C-alpha cells in the first residue's frame, strides 16, 4: 500500500473571509526586583495598564524633567502572578487552536535579564509555558494517538501516512539500526528537569475529535549570529562553540569541525521551514521535554555584566501535530491525503536586547550582541511597515528577508496563524531606557492585525466511528467468553499418520486361552504377512516417489540455478545502474549545495539592492515632495508678483495719466499766458499814446469805479483742445451769473453788475447753451481776516461732442482793506498820468490768468477752477 502524502499547511493561502482580522495579542509581565532596596521605575496601575517613570538620577541628568508615561496591554501580570495563571490566559488558547488544526506563534520579548527564559521554560517545581503546553497536548490526545511511524514527516515540510503494517516494519527496521533510541516515557527521568513537568492540574482540551488519530513531532533550533543551527542534531557538544581569531574568522585546525548551519526554504504552499532539521516523534510529555532538555544543553549562553546566564541566540521550539481521520469502520487510518492535517505551534525565546556600554562586551560577546540587536531591529522594522501598510493603505515591501528570525515567521504575520507576544520587563531603575524602548515597540505591535485562520473542512464521515468499533469488539469478546470457544467450531480432522495406520488390516485377537488352540497363531501370522506385504508395497512406492521427488528436486535446482544466474546478472546490471544513479545524485547534491550557496548570495545581494531601492525611493519621495513644495511656492510667488505687477502697472498708468493731464493743462496755461502777454505788448506797442486811457489812481477808483475793459480770450494752446467757433461780441451777449449758495454780501460800494444775466447756483448745460459768457463769484478769507471776492470770467463755446465748454479768460479780485491795518505804498506827489497808465497796464496783465474747463453733454462735473499761474513780482 502506498503512503498517502499530506499538504501543509492546513488551510488555503488566502482565507475565505479576509476582512476578519485580529490584532496581535500583547501581554506584559513584570519581574520582581532582586533586592527590596532597589529603585523601581515601573508600576502596575490595573489589569491592563502599567506606568513607567524616570528614576531620580535620570531626572537630575535631564534637567529635572519628570514625565510619567502609561502603556496599555491586553493584560498585565504583576510580580505575584504564577505560571499557571499566565498559561491559562496566553498559551492555552493557542494549544486549543493547535488541536483544531490551526497554527500559533508565541514569543517572549524584552531586555536581557527580564525573565523571558523563566517565563518560557520555568524553574524546578514551577514549570513554564513550554512544559505546560506539552502536558495539555498529551492530556488531550493521549488515548487517540497513532502508533509510532504511522505518520512520517518528509524533508519538504509535508507528512505521509502509512498503514499499521508499514509502521510495524519501520519500527523493526529502526530497532535494528545502531542509532540512539528516542527517550521513552517509562525510563527514569533526569532529576534536573523532573520537577518542571510535574504538572498536577491535568489541563486538557474539552472538545477533541475522537474519530481522528494524532501524532506529535518536536524540533528545536536556534538562530545564532543570523545562522540557523539544529540543537537536536547528533554532533559533538564543543563543535557548536567555534573559536574565533583576531580577524573574526573561525580558527582552522584539524580538531575543530564547524557546525553545519541550516537553510530556510519555502514549500509549495509558500510556507517557510528549516530544511534538514531533526524532527522527533514523541508519545508523552516526559519524552518531549527530555528531547527539549537535550537541545537546551547545547544552546549558547554566556556570562555578562547584566545576566549570569544570558542567552546569546534566539531559540525556537516547534511542536507539530499531525492528525488523520479513521475510516468508515473506525478501525484503520483513512489513506486519503486530502484529509490529513498538520498544525504547528512555535514557542520562541528571543535573546534580550542589550547595550554594550552596560554589558562591557568584548570580542565574541560584542559580535553576538550586535547580531542580536540587529535581528530585533529588523523585527521592529517589519512591525512598523506592517502597521503603516494597514493604517495608511500603503503597499510597502516588508523586509522579512533582512533577518532569519523574521524570514522564518513571515507566514504568521501574513495570516497563517494566531500571534501572541509576552513583553517581559525588569522594573529596576537601571533598565529604564531599555524598558522604555520595549514598551514603545509593544504598543506599536498591538496595532498590527493578522488575518484570522479559517476552520478546517469536515471529512464527511459519520462521527462516533471509534466508539462504535470499540463497542462491537467488546460485545464480540463477551459472547465468545459465554460460549467457551469459537462460535460454530467443527471437529478436528485426523492427521496423515492416523489415516495411514487405519489403512492396515486389523490384527486378530492375540489372547491364547487353550494350549491346544491352533487357530489364533495362524490367523496372527497371516495378518502379519499381509501387513508385511503391504509394507513392502508401500516401501517400493515410497522409493519410487523418492526417486521421482529427487528428480523433481534436481530439475528444480537446475531451474533455480539458472534463474539465480539470471537474477545475479540482472542484479549486477541494477547495481551498475544504482551506482551510476548514486554518482549522479552526489553530483546533483553538490550542484544543489552550490546553487543554494549562490541563492544565499543572491538573496543577500537582493536584500542589499532592496535596501538601496527603499533608500532611493525614500530619497525620491522626499525630493519629489521638496520639488512639489518649491513648485507650489513658485506658483504662489508668481501669482503674488503678477498681482503686484498688475497693481503697480495700474497705479503708474493712473499716475502717468494724471501727470500728463496736469502737464498738458500747465503747458496750456503757460502758452495762454504767453499769448496774452504778447497780445498786451503788441497792443501797447502798436496803439498811439494819446489814445491810451489814463490809469486812474486807487483813490479815484474808490470814489468812482470804472468798468475794466474785457480782455480778449486766448487761442487754444494744445492740439488736443477742441475747435471752438468764436462767438460775436455784440451788445446783446448774455451772461451766466454763477453764485454758490453760500455767497455772503459784502456791502461794499463797488458791486459787480452783470447785464442780461441768468443767475444760477450751479452750472447747467441748458443755461450755458443760452449764454455767451460765464461769471463765477468765488469768496475766500484773506490773510488779514477780510473777505476777498474773485470774479472769474470766461467764454462759452460749443464742443464737437454737442456739449458746452467754458474757457476762463480773466479774474477780477475785490478785496476790502482796513485803513489802519494795512500798510499803503507811498506814491509820488505828482504822478505821471502816462506812467500810471502804463503801470496800470502792466499790473492788469500780471494779475490775469486763464483756466479752461470742458463739460461734455450729460456730464455731472460740477463747477470749479484750478489756478496754475504762478504769482509774479511787480516790475519796477
Amino acid at each position: 500500500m502506498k503512503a498517502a502524502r499530506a499538504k501543509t499547511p492546513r488551510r488555503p493561502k488566502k482565507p475565505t473571509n479576509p476582512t476578519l482580522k485580529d490584532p496581535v495579542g500583547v501581554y506584559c509581565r513584570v519581574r520582581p526586583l532582586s533586592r527590596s532596596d532597589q529603585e523601581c521605575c515601573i508600576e502596575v496601575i490595573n489589569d491592563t495598564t502599567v506606568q513607567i517613570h524616570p528614576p531620580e538620577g535620570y531626572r537630575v541628568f535631564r534637567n529635572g524633567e519628570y514625565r510619567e508615561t502609561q502603556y496599555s496591554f491586553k493584560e498585565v501580570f504583576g510580580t505575584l502572578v504564577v505560571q499557571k495563571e499566565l498559561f491559562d490566559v496566553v498559551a492555552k488558547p493557542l494549544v486549543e487552536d493547535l488541536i483544531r488544526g490551526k497554527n500559533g506563534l508565541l514569543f517572549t520579548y524584552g531586555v536581557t535579564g527580564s525573565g523571558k527564559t523563566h517565563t518560557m521554560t520555568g524553574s524546578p517545581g514551577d514549570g513554564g509555558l513550554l512544559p505546560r503546553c506539552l502536558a495539555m497536548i498529551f492530556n488531550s490526545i493521549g488515548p487517540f494517538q497513532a502508533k509510532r511511524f504511522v505518520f512520517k514527516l518528509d524533508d519538504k515540510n509535508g507528512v505521509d501516512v502509512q498503514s499499521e503494517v508499514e509502521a510495524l516494519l519501520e519500527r523493526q527496521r529502526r530497532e535494528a539500526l545502531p542509532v540512539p533510541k528516542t527517550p521513552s516515557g517509562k525510563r527514569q527521568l533526569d532529576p534536573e528537569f523532573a520537577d518542571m513537568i510535574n504538572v498536577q492540574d491535568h489541563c486538557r482540551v474539552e472538545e477533541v475529535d475522537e474519530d481522528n488519530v494524532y501524532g506529535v513531532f518536536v524540533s528545536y533550533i536556534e538562530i545564532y549570529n543570523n545562522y540557523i543551527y539544529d540543537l537536536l542534531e547528533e554532533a559533538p557538544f564543543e563543535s557548536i562553540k567555534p573559536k574565533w581569531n583576531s580577524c573574526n574568522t573561525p580558527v582552522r585546525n584539524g580538531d575543530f569541525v564547524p557546525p553545519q548551519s541550516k537553510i530556510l526554504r519555502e514549500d509549495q504552499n509558500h510556507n517557510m521551514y528549516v530544511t534538514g532539521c531533526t524532527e522527533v516523534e514523541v508519545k508523552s510529555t516526559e519524552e518531549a521535554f527530555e528531547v527539549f532538555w537535550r537541545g537546551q544543553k547545547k544552546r549558547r549562553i554566556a556570562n555578562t555584566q547584566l545576566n549570569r546566564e544570558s542567552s546569546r541566540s534566539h531559540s525556537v521550539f516547534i511542536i507539530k501535530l499531525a492528525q488523520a481521520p479513521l475510516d468508515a469502520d473506525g478501525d484503520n487510518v483513512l489513506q486519503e491525503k486530502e484529509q490529513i492535517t498538520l498544525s504547528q505551534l512555535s514557542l520562541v525565546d528571543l535573546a534580550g536586547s542589550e547595550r554594550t556600554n552596560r554589558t562591557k562586551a568584548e570580542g565574541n560577546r560584542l559580535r553576538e550582541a550586535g547580531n542580536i540587536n540587529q535581528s530585533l531591529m529588523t523585527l521592529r522594522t517589519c512591525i512598523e511597515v506592517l502597521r503603516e501598510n494597514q493604517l495608511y493603505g500603503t503597499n510597502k515591501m516588508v523586509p522579512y528577508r533582512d533577518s532569519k528570525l523574521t524570514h522564518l515567521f513571515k507566514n504568521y504575520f501574513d495570516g497563517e496563524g494566531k500571534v501572541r507576544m509576552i513583553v517581559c520587563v525588569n522594573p529596576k531603575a537601571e533598565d529604564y531606557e531599555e524598558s522604555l524602548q520595549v514598551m514603545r515597540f509593544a504598543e506599536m505591535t498591538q496595532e498590527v492585525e493578522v488575518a484570522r485562520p479559517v476552520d478546517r473542512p469536515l471529512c464527511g464521515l459519520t462521527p462516533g466511528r471509534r466508539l462504535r468499533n470499540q463497542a462491537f469488539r467488546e460485545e464480540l469478546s463477551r459472547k465468545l467468553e459465554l460460549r467457551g470457544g469459537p462460535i460454530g467450531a467443527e471437529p478436528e480432522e485426523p492427521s496423515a499418520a492416523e489415516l495411514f495406520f487405519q489403512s492396515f488390516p486389523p490384527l486378530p485377537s492375540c489372547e491364547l486361552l487353550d494350549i491346544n488352540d491352533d487357530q489364533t497363531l495362524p490367523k496372527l501370522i497371516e495378518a502379519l504377512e499381509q501387513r508385511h506385504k503391504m509394507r513392502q508395497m508401500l516401501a517400493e512406492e515410497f522409493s519410487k516417489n523418492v526417486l521421482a521427488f529427487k528428480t523433481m528436486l534436481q530439475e528444480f535446482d537446475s531451474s533455480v540455478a539458472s534463474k539465480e544466474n539470471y537474477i545475479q546478472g540482472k542484479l549486477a546490471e541494477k547495481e551498475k545502474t544504482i551506482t551510476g544513479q548514486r554518482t549522479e545524485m552526489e553530483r546533483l547534491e553538490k550542484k544543489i549545495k552550490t546553487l543554494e550557496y549562490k541563492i544565499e548570495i543572491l538573496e543577500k545581494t537582493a536584500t542589499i539592492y532592496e535596501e538601496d531601492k527603499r533608500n532611493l525611493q525614500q530619497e525620491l519621495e522626499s525630493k519629489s515632495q521638496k520639488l512639489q513644495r518649491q513648485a507650489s511656492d513658485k506658483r504662489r510667488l508668481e501669482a503674488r508678483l503678477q498681482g503686484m505687477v498688475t497693481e503697480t502697472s495700474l497705479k503708474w498708468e493712473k499716475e502717468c495719466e494724471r501727470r500728463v493731464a496736469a502737464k498738458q493743462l500747465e503747458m496750456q496755461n503757460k502758452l495762454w499766458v504767453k499769448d496774452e502777454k504778447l497780445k498786451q505788448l503788441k497792443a501797447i506797442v502798436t496803439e498811439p499814446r494819446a489814445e491810451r486811457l489814463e490809469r486812474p489812481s486807487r483813490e479815484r477808483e474808490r470814489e468812482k469805479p470804472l468798468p475794466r475793459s474785457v480782455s480778449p480770450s486766448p487761442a487754444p494752446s494744445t492740439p488736443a483742445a477742441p475747435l471752438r467757433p468764436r462767438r460775436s461780441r455784440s451788445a446783446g451777449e448774455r451772461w451766466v451769473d454763477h453764485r454758490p449758495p453760500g455767497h455772503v454780501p459784502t456791502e461794499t460800494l463797488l458791486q459787480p453788475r452783470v447785464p442780461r444775466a441768468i443767475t444760477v447756483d450751479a452750472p447747467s448745460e441748458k443755461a450755458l447753451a443760452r449764454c455767451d459768457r460765464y461769471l463765477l463769484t468765488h469768496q475766500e478769507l484773506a490773510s488779514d481776516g477780510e473777505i476777498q471776492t474773485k470774479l472769474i470770467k470766461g467764454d462759452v463755446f460749443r464742443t464737437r461732442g454737442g456739449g458746452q465748454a467754458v474757457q476762463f479768460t480773466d479774474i477780477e479780485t475785490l478785496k476790502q482793506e482796513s485803513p489802519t491795518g494795512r500798510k499803503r505804498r507811498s506814491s509820488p506827489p505828482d504822478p505821471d498820468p502816462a506812467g500810471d497808465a502804463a503801470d496800470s497796464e502792466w499790473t492788469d496783465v500780471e494779475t490775469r490768468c486763464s483756466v479752461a474747463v470742458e463739460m461734455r453733454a450729460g456730464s455731472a462735473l460740477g463747477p470749479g477752477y484750478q489756478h496754475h499761474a504762478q504769482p509774479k513780482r511787480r516790475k519796477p
Side-chain angles (χ1 to χ4, degrees):
M1 182 181 296
K2 292 184 179 180
R5 184 171 176 174
K7 292 183 179 179
T8 54
R10 296 54 48 197
R11 62 190 193 90
K13 185 65 180 177
K14 294 183 179 179
T16 57
N17 192 358
T19 59
L20 296 178
K21 292 185 178 181
D22 296 322
V24 176
V26 181
Y27 303 84
C28 178
R29 186 179 191 183
V30 183
R31 172 184 174 172
L33 292 172
S34 57
R35 301 193 312 271
S36 60
D37 57 345
Q38 279 186 322
E39 183 182 0
C40 179
C41 66
I42 297 177
E43 180 183 359
V44 178
I45 303 299
N46 51 39
D47 292 341
T48 59
T49 308
V50 296
Q51 178 174 288
I52 181 169
H53 56 80
E56 295 293 336
Y58 186 86
R59 292 201 297 271
V60 173
F61 180 75
R62 298 291 182 179
N63 299 323
E65 295 180 358
Y66 186 85
R67 182 180 179 184
E68 295 180 348
T69 309
Q70 292 186 357
Y71 295 93
S72 298
F73 299 90
K74 194 169 184 179
E75 190 163 343
V76 176
F77 302 94
T79 57
L80 302 179
V81 173
V82 296
Q83 298 276 32
K84 181 183 183 304
E85 184 178 351
L86 180 67
F87 169 77
D88 291 340
V89 176
V90 181
K92 185 176 179 180
L94 296 180
V95 177
E96 293 175 350
D97 288 345
L98 176 71
I99 295 178
R100 294 187 181 97
K102 301 177 183 179
N103 296 341
L105 171 63
L106 173 63
F107 61 96
T108 56
Y109 182 85
V111 300
T112 181
S114 59
K116 299 182 298 299
T117 304
H118 172 75
T119 300
M120 188 62 68
T121 307
S123 58
D126 189 13
L129 299 180
L130 190 148
R132 292 178 184 272
C133 289
L134 293 173
M136 182 176 178
I137 291 172
F138 287 105
N139 290 338
S140 303
I141 67 169
F144 312 121
Q145 291 189 73
K147 294 182 179 180
R148 200 181 296 271
F149 301 117
V150 170
F151 293 105
K152 184 179 180 181
L153 299 179
D154 58 13
D155 56 351
K156 295 181 180 179
N157 203 28
V159 60
D160 298 334
V161 60
Q162 302 181 125
S163 63
E164 293 188 0
V165 176
E166 293 172 335
L168 178 61
L169 294 177
E170 182 73 16
R171 288 195 296 272
Q172 293 176 355
R173 187 178 66 82
R174 293 292 182 92
E175 290 175 359
L177 294 177
V179 294
K181 298 182 180 179
T182 57
S184 175
K186 298 181 181 180
R187 57 182 297 180
Q188 185 68 26
L189 295 178
D190 191 347
E192 188 176 5
F193 63 86
D195 294 338
M196 293 186 183
I197 59 177
N198 188 15
V199 181
Q200 301 295 334
D201 51 1
H202 300 288
C203 183
R204 64 186 301 272
V205 179
E206 296 297 333
E207 297 179 359
V208 180
D209 192 352
E210 298 179 353
D211 294 325
N212 288 355
V213 291
Y214 301 88
V216 181
F217 299 84
V218 296
S219 58
Y220 197 17
I221 62 173
E222 72 169 352
I223 302 175
Y224 175 73
N225 288 339
N226 207 27
Y227 288 95
I228 300 177
Y229 298 98
D230 184 7
L231 295 178
L232 301 181
E233 188 176 13
E234 296 296 334
F237 181 70
E238 294 296 330
S239 65
I240 63 173
K241 293 185 178 179
K243 298 180 180 179
W244 303 86
N245 55 21
S246 59
C247 300
N248 287 332
T249 57
V251 177
R252 300 184 180 277
N253 51 33
D255 298 333
F256 173 70
V257 179
Q260 180 67 38
S261 63
K262 304 300 179 181
I263 300 174
L264 279 178
R265 285 184 177 175
E266 191 175 30
D267 62 8
Q268 60 182 354
N269 294 305
H270 307 288
N271 292 323
M272 304 308 300
Y273 69 97
V274 181
T275 180
C277 178
T278 303
E279 294 176 314
V280 182
E281 185 176 7
V282 290
K283 295 298 179 181
S284 65
T285 305
E286 295 79 7
E287 184 181 355
F289 198 81
E290 186 171 354
V291 172
F292 163 76
W293 197 256
R294 188 177 68 198
Q296 186 73 1
K297 291 181 179 180
K298 297 182 180 180
R299 188 182 176 188
R300 294 170 174 85
I301 59 174
N303 185 10
T304 64
Q305 294 288 335
L306 302 180
N307 192 359
R308 185 171 58 87
E309 294 182 357
S310 175
S311 301
R312 312 311 296 168
S313 63
H314 309 298
S315 67
V316 183
F317 188 75
I318 302 174
I319 305 173
K320 290 185 178 181
L321 180 65
Q323 52 184 306
L326 295 173
D327 56 9
D329 297 332
D331 193 12
N332 299 318
V333 182
L334 190 65
Q335 302 292 312
E336 293 182 7
K337 60 182 180 181
E338 293 83 4
Q339 301 295 336
I340 304 172
T341 303
L342 182 65
S343 53
Q344 176 176 310
L345 175 61
S346 300
L347 305 176
V348 185
D349 181 14
L350 297 178
S353 59
E354 59 186 32
R355 293 190 176 184
T356 55
N357 57 356
R358 294 187 59 200
T359 58
K360 309 298 181 184
E362 297 178 354
N364 293 339
R365 302 288 87 78
L366 181 61
R367 180 169 176 266
E368 292 166 355
N371 286 295
I372 291 171
N373 294 335
Q374 180 64 32
S375 61
L376 295 178
M377 184 62 66
T378 305
L379 176 62
R380 173 173 296 190
T381 303
C382 294
I383 295 294
E384 288 178 352
V385 175
L386 282 172
R387 171 178 170 271
E388 183 177 355
N389 289 341
Q390 294 178 2
L391 290 181
Y392 304 108
T394 58
N395 194 19
K396 293 184 178 180
M397 185 186 69
V398 184
Y400 291 120
R401 292 179 176 269
D402 291 354
S403 172
K404 292 291 194 302
L405 177 66
T406 54
H407 196 193
L408 178 61
F409 298 116
K410 82 178 189 67
N411 305 102
Y412 290 95
F413 293 101
D414 289 341
E416 284 298 323
K418 189 178 294 184
V419 181
R420 294 197 172 184
M421 178 176 72
I422 301 177
V423 176
C424 300
V425 292
N426 194 339
K428 65 179 182 179
E430 291 81 0
D431 291 346
Y432 168 72
E433 293 189 357
E434 291 85 349
S435 299
L436 194 63
Q437 297 296 328
V438 169
M439 292 291 185
R440 291 172 181 171
F441 170 70
E443 187 179 39
M444 177 182 59
T445 305
Q446 293 182 100
E447 300 179 2
V448 177
E449 294 183 345
V450 179
R452 184 180 302 175
V454 298
D455 297 330
R456 62 179 181 178
L458 300 176
C459 63
L461 298 175
T462 305
R465 302 183 298 278
R466 183 191 294 269
L467 295 178
R468 288 198 302 271
N469 187 25
Q470 291 179 356
F472 173 74
R473 290 187 177 185
E474 290 176 358
E475 182 67 18
L476 182 62
S477 300
R478 187 180 62 83
K479 288 185 177 180
L480 290 177
E481 290 178 358
L482 291 176
R483 292 193 177 188
I487 300 175
E490 297 180 358
E492 296 182 358
E493 296 181 357
S495 63
E498 291 178 353
L499 294 176
F500 175 73
F501 286 116
Q502 289 178 2
S503 62
F504 287 146
L507 292 176
S509 177
C510 297
E511 184 178 2
L512 294 176
L513 299 177
D514 189 5
I515 192 171
N516 297 320
D517 188 3
D518 55 355
Q519 294 180 356
T520 302
L521 290 179
K523 290 181 180 179
L524 180 61
I525 292 171
E526 183 180 2
L528 290 177
E529 287 178 353
Q530 290 180 356
R531 287 196 170 206
H532 180 68
K533 289 180 181 179
M534 187 176 292
R535 181 179 178 183
Q536 288 180 353
M537 291 173 59
L538 290 175
E540 291 176 357
E541 186 177 358
F542 180 75
S543 299
K544 292 179 181 178
N545 291 334
V546 167
L547 291 176
F549 186 71
K550 285 183 179 179
T551 304
M552 292 174 61
L553 283 177
Q554 290 176 357
E555 293 178 354
F556 181 75
D557 287 340
S558 60
S559 63
V560 166
S562 62
K563 289 182 178 181
E564 187 176 7
N565 293 332
Y566 176 76
I567 290 173
Q568 289 293 336
K570 289 291 184 181
L571 286 176
E573 293 179 0
K574 295 293 183 182
E575 285 180 356
K576 291 181 180 179
T577 305
I578 290 173
T579 304
Q581 291 180 352
R582 189 172 297 169
T583 306
E584 182 67 17
M585 287 177 62
E586 292 177 355
R587 186 185 66 82
L588 292 176
E589 286 179 354
K590 291 180 180 179
K591 187 176 180 180
I592 287 173
K593 290 182 179 179
T594 305
L595 292 176
E596 287 176 352
Y597 178 72
K598 289 182 179 180
I599 289 172
E600 187 175 359
I601 294 176
L602 290 175
E603 287 179 352
K604 293 181 179 179
T605 307
T607 303
I608 296 173
Y609 286 159
E610 288 173 356
E611 182 69 23
D612 294 341
K613 180 183 178 181
R614 285 196 301 272
N615 295 333
L616 291 175
Q617 285 179 349
Q618 293 177 357
E619 185 177 358
L620 179 61
E621 290 177 358
S622 62
K623 288 188 177 181
S624 299
Q625 294 176 358
K626 184 176 179 181
L627 287 176
Q628 290 178 359
R629 290 195 298 270
Q630 290 179 355
S632 171
D633 295 341
K634 183 178 179 182
R635 286 193 298 271
R636 287 197 299 268
L637 184 60
E638 287 179 353
R640 184 178 177 185
L641 289 177
Q642 187 68 26
M644 293 176 63
V645 167
T646 305
E647 183 179 355
T648 307
S649 300
L650 293 175
K651 181 178 178 181
W652 280 108
E653 285 178 1
K654 293 180 180 179
E655 182 67 20
C656 290
E657 290 176 357
R658 187 185 65 79
R659 291 186 181 181
V660 168
K663 198 67 176 177
Q664 287 178 354
L665 186 58
E666 181 182 356
M667 296 303 295
Q668 183 179 359
N669 292 336
K670 286 183 180 180
L671 289 175
W672 183 85
V673 170
K674 287 182 181 181
D675 292 342
E676 188 68 22
K677 285 182 181 180
L678 289 175
K679 290 178 182 180
Q680 295 290 340
L681 289 175
K682 183 178 180 182
I684 293 170
V685 173
T686 56
E687 291 180 2
R689 188 168 184 84
E691 297 178 359
R692 299 179 185 175
L693 298 175
E694 181 179 359
R695 182 178 182 184
S697 62
R698 294 184 180 272
E699 290 78 3
R700 291 197 296 268
E701 286 180 0
R702 291 178 182 176
E703 295 175 358
K704 183 179 180 181
L706 296 176
R708 297 181 63 180
S709 61
V710 180
S711 301
S713 60
S717 59
T718 59
L723 297 177
R724 303 178 182 91
R726 191 171 186 84
R727 297 182 182 180
S728 62
R729 300 296 181 93
S730 61
E733 62 183 6
R734 301 189 66 178
W735 291 73
V736 176
D737 187 4
H738 178 197
R739 294 189 180 188
H743 180 73
V744 179
T746 58
E747 298 180 358
T748 57
L749 297 176
L750 297 178
Q751 292 289 339
R753 187 181 67 85
V754 183
R756 302 185 66 185
I758 300 176
T759 303
V760 295
D761 56 359
S764 63
E765 184 180 356
K766 183 177 179 181
L768 291 175
R770 296 168 55 188
C771 300
D772 303 320
R773 301 295 302 278
Y774 177 80
L775 176 63
L776 171 62
T777 303
H778 174 67
Q779 289 181 334
E780 62 182 8
L781 193 63
S783 60
D784 55 359
E786 299 292 341
I787 296 177
Q788 181 179 343
T789 303
K790 291 185 179 180
L791 301 178
I792 304 170
K793 296 180 289 184
D795 296 333
V796 179
F797 295 95
R798 184 180 300 276
T799 62
R800 292 180 179 178
Q804 306 294 328
V806 177
Q807 182 176 10
F808 294 104
T809 59
D810 193 8
I811 299 176
E812 293 182 4
T813 303
L814 302 179
K815 185 175 182 183
Q816 186 177 358
E817 296 181 357
S818 175
T820 59
R822 184 176 185 271
K823 293 183 181 181
R824 300 181 184 273
R825 186 178 60 178
S826 62
S827 58
D830 189 10
D832 186 4
D836 290 342
D839 189 34
S840 176
E841 293 289 331
W842 280 104
T843 302
D844 190 12
V845 172
E846 291 176 353
T847 57
R848 295 176 181 178
C849 67
S850 176
V851 178
V853 178
E854 182 176 354
M855 298 177 63
R856 297 184 179 179
S859 176
L861 180 63
Y865 74 97
Q866 293 182 357
H867 184 235
H868 296 281
Q870 299 294 330
K872 296 185 179 179
R873 297 179 61 185
R874 184 182 298 274
K875 292 184 180 179

